[in-house]
Amino acid sequence: MKHDESGEITEGLEGAENPMYEVGESVILQHGHMPGMEGAEATVSGVFATTAYEVSFNPTNGGEREENHRWVIHEEISESTKGAFEPGEEVTLEANHMEGMEGATAIIDDAVTTNVYMVDYQPTDGGAVVRNHKWFIEEELAQ
């Protein structure tokens, strides 16, 4: 899986006020969205206030269906001009932090209004350092 490591931030995304972890702070990843994440040491590279969605979708590049993908944020959904989405709603993803995501039709599985974090981390499986991984929520990080 190839990730967008550009750190480019979606237009309209607001910085978080009083986040639990600040940019530059070291954290431990407590959730493994993919192999090599859980338990990895990371550095916060961005923190924003938004609604984060867990979604299921078929990648536009024909890849295997993604079930319960964590996380896509409100500003990365084409219909984001309306209020927060509810579980079961169908949306179009504008997120491009992994191949086949942009333009995919997705179903909202869960939603949480929170601070989201972009992080740089060294995978525990010895892989190359990942820069600007999007997204973690506060409950998935520890010191």
Side-chain angles (χ1 to χ4, degrees):
M1 184 179 303
K2 181 175 178 6
H3 292 270
D4 170 26
E5 295 186 353
S6 70
E8 185 175 313
I9 302 304
T10 306
E11 188 174 326
L13 190 57
E14 301 279 331
E17 292 184 25
N18 303 312
M20 185 176 292
Y21 307 104
E22 300 284 344
V23 172
E25 196 167 344
S26 293
V27 295
I28 303 295
L29 305 181
Q30 298 294 303
H31 193 279
H33 298 176
M34 61 184 49
M37 275 189 171
E38 191 167 356
E41 294 182 17
T43 302
V44 174
S45 56
V47 58
F48 308 92
T50 189
T51 300
Y53 299 99
E54 186 173 333
V55 298
S56 294
F57 65 97
N58 291 317
T60 58
N61 63 357
E64 195 172 313
R65 181 170 177 78
E66 290 282 330
E67 295 286 344
N68 305 103
H69 175 84
R70 290 186 175 178
W71 298 96
V72 173
I73 60 171
H74 191 76
E75 293 77 6
E76 296 174 326
I77 296 176
S78 65
E79 300 89 350
S80 65
T81 55
K82 70 172 245 171
F85 300 102
E86 298 292 327
E89 284 190 73
E90 186 175 280
V91 297
T92 305
L93 304 178
E94 290 183 346
N96 64 354
H97 34 97
M98 62 183 273
E99 288 183 15
M101 185 177 269
E102 190 171 12
T105 299
I107 300 296
I108 303 291
D109 298 316
D110 196 13
V112 60
T113 300
T114 187
N115 290 331
V116 294
Y117 293 80
M118 187 166 58
V119 300
D120 299 339
Y121 73 97
Q122 172 66 57
T124 59
D125 60 8
V129 170
V130 176
R131 304 256 181 242
N132 300 312
H133 176 81
K134 300 172 184 169
W135 302 102
F136 278 91
I137 61 173
E138 282 182 346
E139 291 79 13
E140 297 175 321
L141 305 176
Q143 288 192 312

